[in-house]
């Protein structure tokens, strides 16, 4: 075997990466210019490209309702608010996810209860989640990490047994399916990010989908008050002129871009699937590399990231850092994981330390106002 | 459990356009780095402190 590039040998990867994203073509540019010429830079009633994109989501996923948001985080906030998460309500959330999943729970005044993830799939460990259920548990958040679908049979069974709402975070997984159904239609409500690095791009944007008209109405009240009178299903709710006062209205230019991008979604997913399968097949004979498993009911989609596990013990204990450095020198775009585990991050971790300090200093009185307390006790 | 596997995760690029030739090179690079000879060399460099490492994981 030739000398490592790290030590002066020739690098292996010489071909250029065609991984620039997003791919914006003339149709996207034309759509944006047209809207600008028309002066339609704020649309409060859900008409135009916003309504068209929502209709496209309904048509694509089969959900009854879609409500575009200004980003995936606000769509998640609306989803948790929509299922009724309120002060003190606990929501089961994987610790291994982007922080918006848990942050949206906090924004709804709920308490994220962090759960383990299954190393085979990188998705929430349902068995672990089951052990964390209390009388205050209101919902379970499922994130289809990197486009790999979580075990929805187990999630739905657990949710049914404990009367939990299921919120799907589909931000990595546009077009992924479970038993032939689109992700986002399996739980009570779902949120998709349409941020610029996702497979379906609005620049910034998000989409909430649900079959439940009450959840849809509550999402309108939370952040789309301009549409309450027009689109709420509840007649009494239609009398409201405003909601809670957030403005989660999306930008029409983002909707126009996403509408054009939608035409490529299936093809892009196919291309990503082919490349992913080809790559992991080529790595399969390396004992120190383990690829994540897709459950047999699942079809990946979105492919927001590619993750493999490196087991140093199978490679005379070369550290992950050394491996990454050597691979990078060979021209491989490779790095360590960039998502921190949320229960170790300053926001949640500091609350744990603060709580432990309170516990240590005073056995007489413990503040019950800190909503994080519930999550960190276990 | 999550902390254990989290520390083992490697992030690789997402490729959308057909790029099997590039992926062949990526796979070849993995095999090269993980060949017994090169692994031993990496291990020696790591233990001797010749390799300045990084690991950005929290």
């Amino acid at each position: 075997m030739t000398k490592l590039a790290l030590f002066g040998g020739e690098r292996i990867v010489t071909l250029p990466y065609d991984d620039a994203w997003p791919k914006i073509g003339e149709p996207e540019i034309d759509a944006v210019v047209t809207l600008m010429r028309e002066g339609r830079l704020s649309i409060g009633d859900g008409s135009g490209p916003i309504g068209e994109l929502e209709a496209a989501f309904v048509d694509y996923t089969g959900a009854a309702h879609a409500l575009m948001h200004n980003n995936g985080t606000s769509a998640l906030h609306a989803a948790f608010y929509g299922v009724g998460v309120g002060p003190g309500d606990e929501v089961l959330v994987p610790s291994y996810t982007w922080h918006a999943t848990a942050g949206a729970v906090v924004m709804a005044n709920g308490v994220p209860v962090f759960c383990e993830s299954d190393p085979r799939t990188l998705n929430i460990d349902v068995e672990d989640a089951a052990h964390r259920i209390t009388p205050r548990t209101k919902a379970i958040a499922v994130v289809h990490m990197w486009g790999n679908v979580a075990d929805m049979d187990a999630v739905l069974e657990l949710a049914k047994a404990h009367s939990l709402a299921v919120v799907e975070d589909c931000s990595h997984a546009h077009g992924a399916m479970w038993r032939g159904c689109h992700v986002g239609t399996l739980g009570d409500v779902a949120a998709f990010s349409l941020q610029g690095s996702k497979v379906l791009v609005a620049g910034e944007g998000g989409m909430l989908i649900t079959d439940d008209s009450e959840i849809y109405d509550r999402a309108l009240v939370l952040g789309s008050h301009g549409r309450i009178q027009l689109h709420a299903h509840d007649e009494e709710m239609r009398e409201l002129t405003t909601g809670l006062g957030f403005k989660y209205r999306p930008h029409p230019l983002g909707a126009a871009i996403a509408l054009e991008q939608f035409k490529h979604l299936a093809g892009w997913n196919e291309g990503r699937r082919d490349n992913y399968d080809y790559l992991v097949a080529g790595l399969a004979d390396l004992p120190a590399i383990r690829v994540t498993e897709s459950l047999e009911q699942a079809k990946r989609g979105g492919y927001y990231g590619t993750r493999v596990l490196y087991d140093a013990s199978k490679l005379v204990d070369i550290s992950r850092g050394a491996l990454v450095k050597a691979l990078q020198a060979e021209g491989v775009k490779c790095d360590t994981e960039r998502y921190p585990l949320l229960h170790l991050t300053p926001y949640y971790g500091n609350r744990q330390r603060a709580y432990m300090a309170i516990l240590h200093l005073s056995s007489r009185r413990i503040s019950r106002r800190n909503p994080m307390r519930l999550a960190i006790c276990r | 459990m999550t902390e254990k596997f989290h520390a083992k995760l490697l992030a690789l690029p997402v490729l959308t356009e057909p790029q099997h030739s590039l992926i062949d090179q990526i796979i070849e690079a993995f095999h090269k780095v993980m060949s017994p000879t090169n692994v031993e060399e990496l291990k020696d460099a790591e233990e001797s402190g010749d390799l300045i490492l990084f690991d950005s994981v929290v």
Side-chain angles (χ1 to χ4, degrees):
Chain A
M1 189 60 76
T2 55
K3 189 175 185 180
L4 288 171
L6 187 63
F7 301 133
E10 286 190 20
R11 62 189 286 178
I12 296 290
V13 179
T14 55
L15 293 170
Y17 285 75
D18 181 3
D19 59 349
W21 201 262
K23 293 184 181 296
I24 299 297
E26 288 303 317
E28 285 86 346
I29 294 168
D30 289 345
V32 166
V33 170
T34 299
L35 270 181
M36 292 179 73
R37 290 194 193 286
E38 292 172 351
R40 302 192 75 191
L41 298 180
S42 178
I43 297 176
D45 61 3
S47 64
I50 294 171
E52 290 174 42
L53 184 65
E54 290 170 351
F57 257 86
V58 165
D59 185 53
Y60 182 69
T61 62
H65 311 289
L67 183 63
M68 189 177 178
H69 283 69
N70 57 353
N71 55 57
T73 305
S74 59
L76 277 167
H77 183 193
F80 289 117
Y81 180 76
V83 298
V85 171
D89 287 337
E90 298 177 12
V91 179
L92 304 166
V93 180
S95 179
Y96 178 51
T97 179
W98 184 239
H99 65 79
T101 319
V105 173
V106 176
M107 288 164 69
N109 291 313
V111 181
V113 175
F114 292 115
C115 303
E116 302 271 12
S117 291
D118 185 333
R120 296 171 303 163
T121 63
L122 308 185
N123 289 318
I124 192 166
D125 181 333
V126 180
E127 194 175 325
D128 177 75
H131 292 307
R132 299 175 192 271
I133 291 175
T134 74
R136 303 206 63 149
T137 307
K138 179 85 177 180
I140 180 169
V142 182
V143 189
H144 306 296
M145 292 294 290
W146 313 115
N148 194 21
V149 186
D151 184 350
M152 290 307 295
D153 287 357
V155 168
L156 295 172
E157 187 180 338
L158 181 72
K160 186 177 180 183
H162 297 275
S163 300
L164 306 180
V166 177
V167 176
E168 291 181 79
D169 183 346
C170 304
S171 297
H172 292 189
H174 312 64
M177 305 187 97
W178 180 261
R179 294 187 184 278
C181 297
H182 277 277
V183 295
T185 62
L186 303 153
D188 295 282
V189 61
F192 292 80
S193 169
L194 307 178
Q195 180 266 342
S197 62
K198 304 301 189 312
V199 71
L200 182 60
V201 167
E204 297 292 347
M207 188 66 75
L208 175 148
I209 64 171
T210 181
D211 285 338
D212 189 322
S213 56
E214 187 177 337
I215 292 174
Y216 177 86
D217 284 0
R218 287 175 62 84
L220 283 180
V221 169
L222 183 73
S224 299
H225 51 84
R227 299 174 60 173
I228 298 171
Q229 292 178 321
L230 294 169
H231 298 139
H233 297 79
D234 185 302
E235 291 294 332
E236 289 184 11
M237 198 172 277
R238 285 195 176 207
E239 302 301 318
L240 296 172
T241 52
T242 61
L244 289 183
F246 290 102
K247 185 182 272 187
Y248 286 163
R249 177 189 303 170
H251 202 295
L253 299 185
I257 292 168
L259 261 175
E260 292 299 328
Q261 295 270 299
F262 220 131
K263 298 171 185 172
H264 303 285
L265 176 59
W268 283 337
N269 264 333
E270 282 305 315
R272 289 182 174 199
R273 184 173 295 119
D274 179 69
N275 285 328
Y276 176 84
D277 290 347
Y278 191 73
L279 174 64
V280 298
L283 300 177
D285 62 339
L286 291 167
I289 295 294
R290 186 162 59 80
V291 300
T292 57
E293 297 175 21
S294 287
L295 300 175
E296 60 179 341
Q297 304 94 327
K299 181 181 181 184
R300 291 184 191 236
Y303 295 86
Y304 184 53
T306 304
R307 294 293 184 276
V308 297
L309 288 108
Y310 164 59
D311 186 350
S313 68
K314 302 276 177 60
L315 204 68
V316 294
D317 284 328
I318 299 296
S319 72
R320 182 174 61 164
L323 178 73
V324 166
K325 196 160 190 172
L327 287 167
Q328 288 176 338
E330 298 295 339
V332 178
K333 288 190 178 181
C334 172
D335 212 333
T336 51
E337 176 54 65
R338 63 190 170 94
Y339 280 12
L341 295 177
L342 293 181
H343 71 282
L344 300 177
T345 57
Y347 182 78
Y348 299 106
N350 285 345
R351 278 160 175 71
Q352 184 169 19
R353 283 194 288 276
Y355 172 65
M356 294 308 292
I358 291 168
L359 201 63
H360 178 71
L361 291 172
S362 173
S363 58
R364 292 168 298 176
R365 188 164 62 90
I366 298 171
S367 170
R368 294 187 179 275
R369 290 182 179 177
N370 180 359
M372 296 310 304
R373 187 186 64 81
L374 294 165
I376 60 183
C377 279
R378 53 185 80 83
Chain B
M1 183 170 67
T2 301
E3 289 174 35
K4 280 186 179 176
F5 84 70
H6 185 263
K8 297 178 178 178
L9 284 170
L10 297 178
L12 297 171
V14 174
L15 302 169
T16 309
E17 301 298 332
Q19 292 175 81
H20 283 197
S21 297
L22 170 67
I23 297 170
D24 283 336
Q25 290 190 336
I26 293 171
I27 293 166
E28 185 183 349
F30 264 87
H31 283 83
K32 176 184 174 183
V33 169
M34 293 184 166
S35 69
T37 308
N38 284 332
V39 161
E40 288 299 333
E41 197 175 1
L42 264 177
K43 183 74 177 171
D44 290 344
E46 197 172 15
E47 288 179 348
S48 67
D50 290 344
L51 204 56
I52 299 170
L53 295 179
F54 62 91
D55 199 331
S56 59
V57 119
V58 173

